[in-house]
Structures are given as C-alpha cells and as structure tokens.
Coordinates of all heavy atoms in Angstrom, one line a residue:
M357 N 0.8 -1.2 0.0 CA 0.0 0.0 0.0 C 0.9 1.2 0.0 O 1.8 1.3 0.8 CB -0.9 0.0 1.2 CG -1.7 1.2 1.3 SD -3.3 0.8 2.1 CE -3.9 2.4 2.3
T358 N 0.6 2.2 -0.9 CA 1.4 3.4 -1.0 C 1.0 4.4 0.1 O -0.2 4.6 0.4 CB 1.1 4.1 -2.3 OG1 1.3 3.1 -3.4 CG2 2.0 5.3 -2.6
P359 N 1.9 5.0 0.8 CA 1.6 6.0 1.8 C 0.9 7.2 1.2 O 1.1 7.5 0.1 CB 2.9 6.4 2.4 CG 3.9 5.4 1.9 CD 3.3 4.7 0.7
P360 N 0.0 7.9 2.0 CA -0.8 8.9 1.4 C 0.1 10.1 0.8 O -0.3 10.7 -0.2 CB -1.6 9.5 2.6 CG -1.6 8.4 3.6 CD -0.3 7.6 3.3
F361 N 1.2 10.4 1.4 CA 2.0 11.5 0.9 C 2.8 11.1 -0.4 O 3.3 12.0 -1.1 CB 3.0 11.9 1.9 CG 4.0 10.9 2.4 CD1 5.2 10.6 1.8 CD2 3.7 10.1 3.5 CE1 6.0 9.7 2.2 CE2 4.5 9.2 4.0 CZ 5.7 8.9 3.3
L362 N 2.8 9.8 -0.8 CA 3.4 9.4 -2.1 C 2.4 9.2 -3.2 O 2.8 9.1 -4.4 CB 4.2 8.2 -1.9 CG 5.5 8.3 -1.1 CD1 6.1 6.9 -1.0 CD2 6.4 9.3 -1.7
R363 N 1.1 9.3 -2.9 CA 0.1 9.1 -3.9 C 0.0 10.4 -4.8 O 0.3 11.5 -4.3 CB -1.3 8.9 -3.2 CG -1.4 7.6 -2.6 CD -2.8 7.4 -2.1 NE -2.8 6.3 -1.1 CZ -3.5 6.3 0.0 NH1 -4.3 7.3 0.3 NH2 -3.4 5.3 0.9
P364 N -0.3 10.2 -6.0 CA -0.5 11.4 -6.9 C -1.6 12.3 -6.4 O -2.6 11.8 -5.9 CB -0.8 10.8 -8.3 CG -1.2 9.4 -8.0 CD -0.6 9.0 -6.7
R365 N -1.4 13.6 -6.6 CA -2.4 14.6 -6.2 C -3.6 14.5 -7.1 O -3.6 14.2 -8.3 CB -1.8 16.0 -6.3 CG -0.8 16.3 -5.3 CD -0.3 17.7 -5.5 NE 0.3 17.8 -6.8 CZ 1.0 18.9 -7.2 NH1 1.0 20.0 -6.4 NH2 1.5 18.9 -8.3
S366 N -4.8 14.7 -6.5 CA -6.0 14.8 -7.2 C -6.6 16.2 -7.2 O -6.2 17.0 -6.3 CB -7.1 13.8 -6.7 OG -7.5 14.3 -5.4
T367 N -7.4 16.5 -8.1 CA -8.0 17.9 -8.2 C -8.8 18.1 -6.9 O -8.8 19.2 -6.4 CB -8.8 18.0 -9.4 OG1 -8.0 17.7 -10.6 CG2 -9.4 19.4 -9.6
A368 N -9.5 17.1 -6.5 CA -10.4 17.3 -5.3 C -9.5 17.5 -4.1 O -9.8 18.4 -3.2 CB -11.2 16.0 -5.0
R369 N -8.3 16.9 -4.0 CA -7.4 17.1 -2.8 C -6.9 18.5 -2.9 O -6.7 19.2 -1.8 CB -6.3 16.1 -2.8 CG -5.5 16.1 -1.5 CD -4.5 15.0 -1.5 NE -5.1 13.7 -1.7 CZ -4.4 12.7 -2.2 NH1 -3.2 12.8 -2.6 NH2 -5.0 11.5 -2.4
I370 N -6.5 19.0 -4.1 CA -6.0 20.4 -4.2 C -7.1 21.4 -3.7 O -6.8 22.3 -3.0 CB -5.6 20.6 -5.7 CG1 -4.4 19.8 -6.0 CG2 -5.4 22.1 -5.9 CD1 -4.0 19.8 -7.5
W371 N -8.3 21.2 -4.1 CA -9.4 22.1 -3.7 C -9.7 22.0 -2.2 O -10.0 23.0 -1.6 CB -10.7 21.9 -4.5 CG -10.6 22.5 -5.9 CD1 -10.6 21.8 -7.1 CD2 -10.4 23.9 -6.2 NE1 -10.5 22.7 -8.1 CE2 -10.4 24.0 -7.6 CE3 -10.3 25.0 -5.4 CZ2 -10.3 25.2 -8.2 CZ3 -10.2 26.2 -6.1 CH2 -10.2 26.3 -7.4
L372 N -9.6 20.8 -1.7 CA -9.8 20.6 -0.2 C -8.7 21.4 0.6 O -9.0 22.1 1.5 CB -9.7 19.1 0.1 CG -9.8 18.8 1.6 CD1 -11.1 19.1 2.2 CD2 -9.4 17.3 1.9
W373 N -7.4 21.2 0.2 CA -6.4 22.0 0.9 C -6.5 23.5 0.7 O -6.2 24.3 1.6 CB -5.0 21.4 0.5 CG -4.7 20.2 1.2 CD1 -4.6 18.9 0.7 CD2 -4.4 20.1 2.6 NE1 -4.3 18.0 1.7 CE2 -4.1 18.7 2.9 CE3 -4.3 21.0 3.6 CZ2 -3.8 18.3 4.1 CZ3 -4.0 20.5 4.9 CH2 -3.8 19.2 5.2
T374 N -7.0 23.9 -0.5 CA -7.2 25.3 -0.7 C -8.3 25.8 0.2 O -8.1 26.9 0.8 CB -7.6 25.6 -2.2 OG1 -6.6 25.1 -3.1 CG2 -7.8 27.0 -2.5
A375 N -9.3 25.1 0.4 CA -10.4 25.5 1.3 C -9.9 25.5 2.8 O -10.3 26.4 3.5 CB -11.6 24.5 1.2
V376 N -9.1 24.5 3.2 CA -8.6 24.5 4.5 C -7.7 25.8 4.8 O -7.8 26.4 5.8 CB -7.8 23.2 4.8 CG1 -7.0 23.3 6.0 CG2 -8.7 22.0 4.8
I377 N -6.9 26.1 3.8 CA -6.0 27.3 3.9 C -6.8 28.5 4.0 O -6.5 29.4 4.8 CB -4.9 27.3 2.8 CG1 -4.0 26.1 3.0 CG2 -4.2 28.6 2.8 CD1 -3.0 25.9 1.8
V378 N -7.8 28.6 3.2 CA -8.7 29.8 3.2 C -9.4 30.0 4.6 O -9.5 31.1 5.1 CB -9.7 29.8 2.0 CG1 -10.9 30.8 2.3 CG2 -9.1 30.0 0.7
I379 N -9.8 28.9 5.1 CA -10.4 28.9 6.5 C -9.4 29.4 7.5 O -9.7 30.2 8.4 CB -11.1 27.6 6.8 CG1 -12.3 27.3 6.0 CG2 -11.4 27.5 8.3 CD1 -12.8 25.9 6.0
L380 N -8.2 28.8 7.4 CA -7.2 29.3 8.4 C -6.8 30.7 8.2 O -6.6 31.4 9.3 CB -5.9 28.4 8.2 CG -6.1 26.9 8.7 CD1 -4.8 26.2 8.4 CD2 -6.4 26.8 10.2
I381 N -6.7 31.2 7.0 CA -6.4 32.6 6.8 C -7.6 33.5 7.3 O -7.3 34.5 8.0 CB -6.2 32.9 5.3 CG1 -4.9 32.3 4.8 CG2 -6.3 34.4 5.0 CD1 -4.7 32.4 3.3
S382 N -8.8 33.0 7.2 CA -9.9 33.8 7.7 C -10.0 33.8 9.2 O -10.3 34.8 9.8 CB -11.2 33.2 7.1 OG -11.3 33.3 5.7
L383 N -9.6 32.7 9.8 CA -9.5 32.7 11.3 C -8.5 33.7 11.8 O -8.7 34.3 12.9 CB -9.2 31.3 11.8 CG -10.4 30.3 11.7 CD1 -9.9 28.9 12.1 CD2 -11.6 30.8 12.6
V384 N -7.4 33.9 11.1 CA -6.3 34.7 11.6 C -6.5 36.2 11.1 O -6.3 37.1 11.9 CB -4.9 34.2 11.0 CG1 -3.8 35.2 11.4 CG2 -4.7 32.8 11.6
L385 N -6.9 36.4 9.9 CA -6.9 37.8 9.3 C -8.3 38.4 9.1 O -8.4 39.6 8.9 CB -6.2 37.8 8.0 CG -4.8 37.4 8.0 CD1 -4.2 37.4 6.5 CD2 -4.0 38.4 8.8
A386 N -9.4 37.7 9.2 CA -10.7 38.3 9.0 C -11.1 39.3 10.1 O -11.0 39.0 11.2 CB -11.8 37.2 8.9
P387 N -11.4 40.5 9.7 CA -11.9 41.5 10.7 C -13.3 41.2 11.2 O -14.2 41.1 10.4 CB -11.8 42.8 9.9 CG -11.9 42.5 8.5 CD -11.4 41.1 8.3
V388 N -13.4 40.9 12.4 CA -14.8 40.5 13.0 C -15.3 41.5 14.0 O -16.4 41.4 14.4 CB -14.7 39.1 13.6 CG1 -14.5 38.0 12.5 CG2 -13.7 39.0 14.7
L389 N -14.4 42.4 14.5 CA -14.8 43.3 15.5 C -14.1 44.7 15.3 O -12.9 44.7 14.9 CB -14.4 42.7 16.9 CG -14.6 43.6 18.1 CD1 -16.1 43.6 18.4 CD2 -13.9 42.9 19.3
T390 N -14.8 45.7 15.5 CA -14.1 47.1 15.5 C -14.1 47.6 16.9 O -15.0 47.7 17.6 CB -14.9 48.0 14.6 OG1 -15.0 47.5 13.3 CG2 -14.3 49.4 14.5
S391 N -12.9 48.0 17.3 CA -12.6 48.5 18.6 C -12.3 50.0 18.5 O -11.4 50.4 17.7 CB -11.5 47.8 19.3 OG -11.2 48.4 20.5
T392 N -13.0 50.8 19.3 CA -12.8 52.3 19.3 C -12.3 52.7 20.6 O -12.9 52.4 21.6 CB -14.0 53.0 18.9 OG1 -14.5 52.6 17.7 CG2 -13.8 54.5 18.8
T393 N -11.2 53.4 20.6 CA -10.6 53.9 21.9 C -10.5 55.4 21.8 O -9.9 56.0 20.8 CB -9.2 53.3 22.1 OG1 -9.3 51.9 22.1 CG2 -8.6 53.8 23.5
C394 N -11.0 56.2 22.8 CA -10.9 57.6 22.8 C -10.0 58.1 23.9 O -10.0 57.6 25.0 CB -12.3 58.2 23.0 SG -13.4 58.0 21.6
Y395 N -9.1 59.0 23.6 CA -8.2 59.6 24.5 C -8.6 61.1 24.8 O -8.5 61.9 23.9 CB -6.8 59.6 23.9 CG -6.3 58.2 23.6 CD1 -6.4 57.7 22.3 CD2 -5.8 57.3 24.6 CE1 -6.0 56.4 22.1 CE2 -5.4 56.0 24.4 CZ -5.5 55.6 23.1 OH -5.1 54.3 22.8
D396 N -9.0 61.3 26.0 CA -9.5 62.7 26.3 C -8.3 63.4 27.0 O -7.5 62.8 27.7 CB -10.7 62.6 27.3 CG -11.9 62.1 26.6 OD1 -12.1 62.4 25.4 OD2 -12.8 61.5 27.3
S397 N -8.3 64.7 26.8 CA -7.3 65.5 27.4 C -7.9 66.8 27.9 O -9.0 67.2 27.5 CB -6.2 65.8 26.3 OG -5.3 66.8 26.8
L398 N -7.2 67.5 28.8 CA -7.7 68.8 29.3 C -7.7 69.8 28.1 O -8.6 70.7 28.1 CB -6.9 69.3 30.4 CG -6.9 68.4 31.7 CD1 -5.9 68.9 32.7 CD2 -8.3 68.4 32.3
D399 N -6.8 69.6 27.2 CA -6.7 70.5 26.0 C -7.6 69.8 24.9 O -7.2 68.7 24.5 CB -5.2 70.6 25.6 CG -5.1 71.5 24.3 OD1 -6.0 72.3 24.0 OD2 -4.0 71.4 23.7
P400 N -8.6 70.5 24.5 CA -9.5 69.9 23.5 C -8.9 69.5 22.2 O -9.3 68.6 21.5 CB -10.6 70.9 23.3 CG -10.6 71.8 24.5 CD -9.2 71.8 25.0
T401 N -7.8 70.2 21.8 CA -7.1 69.9 20.6 C -6.3 68.6 20.6 O -5.9 68.1 19.6 CB -6.2 71.1 20.1 OG1 -5.3 71.3 21.1 CG2 -7.0 72.3 19.9
S402 N -6.0 68.2 21.9 CA -5.2 66.9 22.0 C -6.1 65.7 22.2 O -5.6 64.6 22.2 CB -4.3 67.0 23.3 OG -3.4 68.1 23.1
S403 N -7.4 65.8 22.3 CA -8.3 64.7 22.4 C -8.5 64.1 21.0 O -8.7 64.8 20.0 CB -9.7 65.1 23.0 OG -9.5 65.6 24.3
H404 N -8.5 62.8 21.0 CA -8.7 62.1 19.7 C -9.2 60.6 19.9 O -9.1 60.1 21.0 CB -7.5 62.0 18.8 CG -6.4 61.3 19.4 ND1 -5.5 61.7 20.4 CD2 -5.9 60.0 19.1 CE1 -4.7 60.8 20.7 NE2 -4.9 59.7 20.0
C405 N -9.8 60.1 18.9 CA -10.3 58.7 19.0 C -9.6 57.8 17.9 O -9.3 58.4 16.8 CB -11.8 58.6 18.8 SG -12.7 59.4 20.2
E406 N -9.4 56.6 18.2 CA -8.8 55.6 17.2 C -9.8 54.4 17.0 O -10.3 53.9 18.0 CB -7.5 55.1 17.6 CG -6.4 56.2 17.7 CD -5.1 55.7 18.3 OE1 -5.1 54.5 18.8 OE2 -4.1 56.4 18.3
S407 N -10.0 54.0 15.8 CA -10.7 52.8 15.6 C -9.8 51.8 14.9 O -9.1 52.1 13.9 CB -12.0 53.1 14.7 OG -12.9 53.9 15.4
V408 N -9.9 50.5 15.3 CA -9.1 49.5 14.7 C -10.0 48.2 14.5 O -10.9 48.0 15.3 CB -7.8 49.1 15.5 CG1 -6.9 50.2 15.6 CG2 -8.2 48.6 16.9
Q409 N -9.7 47.5 13.5 CA -10.4 46.2 13.2 C -9.6 45.1 13.9 O -8.4 45.0 13.8 CB -10.5 46.0 11.7 CG -11.4 47.0 11.1 CD -11.5 46.8 9.6 OE1 -10.5 46.3 9.0 NE2 -12.6 47.2 9.0
L410 N -10.3 44.2 14.6 CA -9.7 43.1 15.3 C -10.2 41.8 14.7 O -11.3 41.6 14.2 CB -10.0 43.1 16.8 CG -9.6 44.4 17.5 CD1 -10.1 44.3 18.9 CD2 -8.1 44.6 17.5
G411 N -9.3 40.8 14.7 CA -9.6 39.4 14.2 C -10.1 38.6 15.4 O -10.3 39.1 16.5
F412 N -10.3 37.3 15.1 CA -10.8 36.4 16.2 C -9.9 36.3 17.4 O -10.3 36.2 18.5 CB -11.0 35.0 15.6 CG -12.3 34.8 14.8 CD1 -12.2 34.7 13.4 CD2 -13.5 34.8 15.4 CE1 -13.3 34.5 12.6 CE2 -14.6 34.7 14.6 CZ -14.5 34.5 13.2
A413 N -8.6 36.4 17.1 CA -7.6 36.2 18.2 C -7.4 37.6 18.9 O -6.5 37.6 19.8 CB -6.3 35.7 17.7
G414 N -8.0 38.6 18.5 CA -7.8 39.9 19.1 C -6.6 40.7 18.4 O -6.2 41.8 18.9
N415 N -6.1 40.1 17.4 CA -5.0 40.8 16.6 C -5.6 41.9 15.7 O -6.6 41.8 15.2 CB -4.2 39.8 15.8 CG -5.1 39.0 14.8 OD1 -6.2 38.6 15.2 ND2 -4.6 38.8 13.6
Q416 N -4.8 43.0 15.6 CA -5.2 44.1 14.7 C -5.0 43.6 13.3 O -4.0 43.1 12.9 CB -4.3 45.3 15.0 CG -4.8 46.5 14.3 CD -4.0 47.8 14.8 OE1 -3.3 47.7 15.8 NE2 -4.2 48.8 14.0
T417 N -6.0 43.8 12.5 CA -6.0 43.3 11.1 C -6.7 44.4 10.2 O -7.1 45.4 10.6 CB -6.7 42.0 11.0 OG1 -6.6 41.5 9.7 CG2 -8.2 42.1 11.3
N418 N -6.6 44.0 8.9 CA -7.2 44.9 7.9 C -8.0 44.1 6.9 O -7.5 43.0 6.5 CB -6.0 45.6 7.2 CG -6.5 46.7 6.2 OD1 -7.6 46.6 5.6 ND2 -5.7 47.7 6.0
G419 N -9.2 44.5 6.5 CA -10.0 43.8 5.6 C -9.4 43.6 4.2 O -9.6 42.5 3.6
W420 N -8.6 44.5 3.8 CA -8.0 44.4 2.4 C -6.9 43.4 2.4 O -6.7 42.6 1.5 CB -7.4 45.8 2.0 CG -8.5 46.8 1.7 CD1 -8.8 47.9 2.4 CD2 -9.5 46.7 0.7 NE1 -9.8 48.5 1.9 CE2 -10.3 47.8 0.8 CE3 -9.7 45.8 -0.3 CZ2 -11.4 48.1 0.0 CZ3 -10.8 46.1 -1.2 CH2 -11.6 47.2 -1.1
V421 N -6.2 43.3 3.5 CA -5.1 42.2 3.6 C -5.8 40.8 3.6 O -5.3 39.9 2.9 CB -4.3 42.4 4.9 CG1 -3.3 41.3 5.1 CG2 -3.5 43.7 4.8
W422 N -6.9 40.7 4.4 CA -7.6 39.4 4.4 C -8.1 39.1 3.0 O -7.9 37.9 2.5 CB -8.7 39.5 5.4 CG -9.7 38.4 5.4 CD1 -9.4 37.1 5.6 CD2 -11.1 38.5 5.0 NE1 -10.6 36.3 5.4 CE2 -11.6 37.2 5.1 CE3 -11.9 39.5 4.7 CZ2 -12.9 36.9 4.8 CZ3 -13.2 39.2 4.4 CH2 -13.7 37.9 4.5
L423 N -8.7 40.0 2.3 CA -9.3 39.7 1.0 C -8.1 39.4 0.0 O -8.3 38.5 -0.8 CB -10.1 40.9 0.5 CG -11.4 41.1 1.1 CD1 -12.1 42.4 0.6 CD2 -12.3 40.0 0.7
A424 N -7.0 40.1 0.1 CA -5.9 39.8 -0.8 C -5.3 38.4 -0.6 O -5.0 37.7 -1.5 CB -4.8 40.8 -0.6
A425 N -5.2 38.0 0.7 CA -4.7 36.7 1.1 C -5.7 35.6 0.6 O -5.2 34.6 0.0 CB -4.5 36.6 2.6
V426 N -7.0 35.8 0.8 CA -7.9 34.8 0.3 C -7.9 34.7 -1.2 O -8.0 33.6 -1.8 CB -9.4 35.1 0.9 CG1 -10.4 34.3 0.2 CG2 -9.4 34.9 2.4
A427 N -7.9 35.8 -1.9 CA -7.9 35.8 -3.4 C -6.6 35.2 -3.9 O -6.7 34.4 -4.8 CB -8.0 37.3 -3.9
A428 N -5.4 35.5 -3.3 CA -4.2 34.8 -3.7 C -4.2 33.3 -3.5 O -3.8 32.6 -4.4 CB -3.0 35.5 -3.0
T429 N -4.8 32.9 -2.4 CA -4.9 31.4 -2.2 C -5.9 30.8 -3.2 O -5.6 29.7 -3.7 CB -5.4 31.2 -0.7 OG1 -4.5 31.8 0.2 CG2 -5.5 29.7 -0.4
A430 N -7.0 31.4 -3.4 CA -8.0 30.8 -4.4 C -7.4 30.8 -5.8 O -7.5 29.8 -6.5 CB -9.2 31.7 -4.4
V431 N -6.6 31.8 -6.2 CA -6.0 31.8 -7.5 C -4.9 30.7 -7.6 O -4.8 30.0 -8.6 CB -5.4 33.2 -7.9 CG1 -4.5 33.2 -9.1 CG2 -6.6 34.2 -8.1
T432 N -4.1 30.6 -6.6 CA -3.1 29.6 -6.5 C -3.7 28.2 -6.6 O -3.2 27.3 -7.4 CB -2.2 29.7 -5.3 OG1 -1.7 31.0 -5.3 CG2 -1.2 28.7 -5.2
G433 N -4.8 27.9 -5.8 CA -5.5 26.7 -5.9 C -6.1 26.4 -7.3 O -6.0 25.2 -7.8
W434 N -6.6 27.4 -7.9 CA -7.2 27.2 -9.2 C -6.1 26.9 -10.2 O -6.3 26.0 -11.1 CB -8.0 28.5 -9.6 CG -8.5 28.4 -11.0 CD1 -9.6 27.7 -11.4 CD2 -8.0 29.1 -12.1 NE1 -9.8 27.9 -12.8 CE2 -8.8 28.8 -13.2 CE3 -6.9 30.0 -12.4 CZ2 -8.6 29.3 -14.5 CZ3 -6.7 30.4 -13.7 CH2 -7.6 30.1 -14.7
L435 N -5.0 27.6 -10.2 CA -3.9 27.3 -11.1 C -3.3 25.9 -10.9 O -3.0 25.2 -11.9 CB -2.8 28.4 -10.9 CG -3.1 29.8 -11.5 CD1 -2.0 30.7 -11.1 CD2 -3.3 29.7 -12.9
L436 N -3.2 25.5 -9.6 CA -2.7 24.1 -9.4 C -3.6 23.1 -9.9 O -3.2 22.1 -10.5 CB -2.4 23.9 -7.9 CG -1.2 24.6 -7.3 CD1 -1.2 24.5 -5.8 CD2 0.1 24.1 -7.9
A437 N -4.9 23.3 -9.6 CA -5.9 22.3 -10.1 C -6.0 22.3 -11.6 O -6.1 21.2 -12.2 CB -7.3 22.7 -9.5
R438 N -5.9 23.4 -12.3 CA -5.9 23.5 -13.7 C -4.7 22.8 -14.3 O -4.8 22.1 -15.3 CB -6.0 25.0 -14.2 CG -6.1 25.2 -15.6 CD -6.2 26.6 -15.9 NE -6.1 26.8 -17.3 CZ -5.6 27.9 -17.9 NH1 -5.2 28.9 -17.1 NH2 -5.4 28.0 -19.1
R439 N -3.5 23.1 -13.7 CA -2.3 22.5 -14.2 C -2.3 20.9 -14.0 O -1.9 20.2 -14.9 CB -1.1 23.0 -13.4 CG 0.2 22.6 -14.1 CD 1.4 23.3 -13.3 NE 1.9 22.4 -12.4 CZ 2.7 22.6 -11.5 NH1 3.1 23.9 -11.2 NH2 3.2 21.7 -10.7
H440 N -2.8 20.5 -12.9 CA -3.0 19.1 -12.6 C -3.9 18.4 -13.6 O -3.7 17.3 -14.1 CB -3.4 18.8 -11.2 CG -3.7 17.4 -10.9 ND1 -2.6 16.5 -10.7 CD2 -4.8 16.7 -10.7 CE1 -3.1 15.3 -10.5 NE2 -4.4 15.4 -10.4
K441 N -5.1 19.1 -13.8 CA -6.1 18.6 -14.7 C -5.6 18.4 -16.2 O -5.9 17.5 -16.9 CB -7.3 19.4 -14.7 CG -8.6 18.7 -15.1 CD -9.8 19.6 -14.9 CE -11.0 18.8 -15.0 NZ -12.2 19.6 -14.7
S442 N -4.7 19.4 -16.6 CA -4.2 19.3 -18.0 C -3.2 18.2 -18.1 O -3.0 17.7 -19.2 CB -3.6 20.7 -18.4 OG -2.5 20.9 -17.6
R443 N -2.5 17.8 -17.0 CA -1.5 16.7 -17.1 C -2.2 15.4 -16.8 O -1.5 14.4 -17.0 CB -0.5 16.9 -16.0 CG 0.5 18.0 -16.3 CD 1.7 17.8 -15.3 NE 2.3 19.1 -15.0 CZ 3.1 19.2 -14.1 NH1 3.5 18.2 -13.3 NH2 3.7 20.4 -13.9
D444 N -3.4 15.4 -16.3 CA -4.0 14.1 -16.0 C -4.2 13.2 -17.2 O -4.9 13.6 -18.1 CB -5.4 14.4 -15.3 CG -5.9 13.2 -14.6 OD1 -5.2 12.2 -14.4 OD2 -7.1 13.3 -14.1
P445 N -3.7 12.0 -17.2 CA -3.8 11.1 -18.4 C -5.1 10.5 -18.6 O -5.4 9.9 -19.6 CB -2.7 10.1 -18.2 CG -2.5 10.0 -16.7 CD -2.8 11.4 -16.2
R446 N -6.0 10.6 -17.5 CA -7.3 9.9 -17.6 C -8.2 10.5 -18.6 O -8.4 11.5 -19.0 CB -8.0 9.9 -16.2 CG -7.2 9.0 -15.3 CD -8.0 8.9 -14.0 NE -7.1 9.6 -13.0 CZ -7.6 10.1 -11.9 NH1 -8.9 9.9 -11.6 NH2 -6.8 10.7 -11.0

C-alpha cells in the first residue's frame, strides 16, 4: 500500500487543501470586531479617537489584507488544479 504522501495529487485534494488554507487565513486575518478607543485631554485639541479592526484572536487586522490573502490562495489553488487537470492522463 502506498503511503498517502506518495500518492499522486487529485484535483479534489487540491481544492480541499485550498479550502482549509482559506479557512485558516480567515480565522487569523478576517476582521470581525471594530474597537474604538478615545483619549481625552484637558486640552480639547489633544483629544482624539482611534478605531481598529480586530480578528478572532484579538489581533489588529485589515479587511484588504484578508481579501488579498484569500484571493491569492484561491487563484493559486485554481492554477494548481488547472495544471494538474491538464496533465491528468485519464
């Protein structure tokens, strides 16, 4: 019996791993909460507020970075699946 890591890749396996990676990227980078912090001062010109987007782990993140990472992963998965399908002798 051939070990799983020596078996030839299938298109379904490529798409499965692409989906797993997209889910992991989403868990780390997806903005799910907006936190606003205001700093008051006796001098009104020094008072200001900051808003940041936070991910599931409380890390500061950006929606554009998350979308770019998901898009790059999806395109890479599509290219790998397309290349594998064109080589498939079946």
Side-chain angles (χ1 to χ4, degrees):
M357 176 148 174
T358 308
F361 58 88
L362 290 179
R363 290 187 198 141
R365 290 182 294 186
S366 69
T367 305
R369 190 176 306 149
I370 291 170
W371 282 117
L372 174 69
W373 280 108
T374 301
V376 167
I377 292 170
V378 164
I379 289 169
L380 290 176
I381 287 172
S382 294
L383 287 174
V384 174
L385 295 178
V388 294
L389 177 71
T390 301
S391 174
T392 303
T393 306
C394 291
Y395 301 97
D396 290 329
S397 174
L398 295 175
D399 181 17
T401 59
S402 298
S403 298
H404 65 281
C405 293
E406 296 175 350
S407 293
V408 295
Q409 295 177 331
L410 303 175
F412 282 109
N415 57 320
Q416 189 172 345
T417 186
N418 185 333
W420 293 111
V421 173
W422 169 62
L423 284 174
V426 168
T429 303
V431 167
T432 302
W434 178 73
L435 289 172
L436 286 172
R438 184 175 168 211
R439 191 176 99 193
H440 176 72
K441 202 171 193 176
S442 67
R443 284 195 211 169
D444 196 9
R446 291 184 251 161

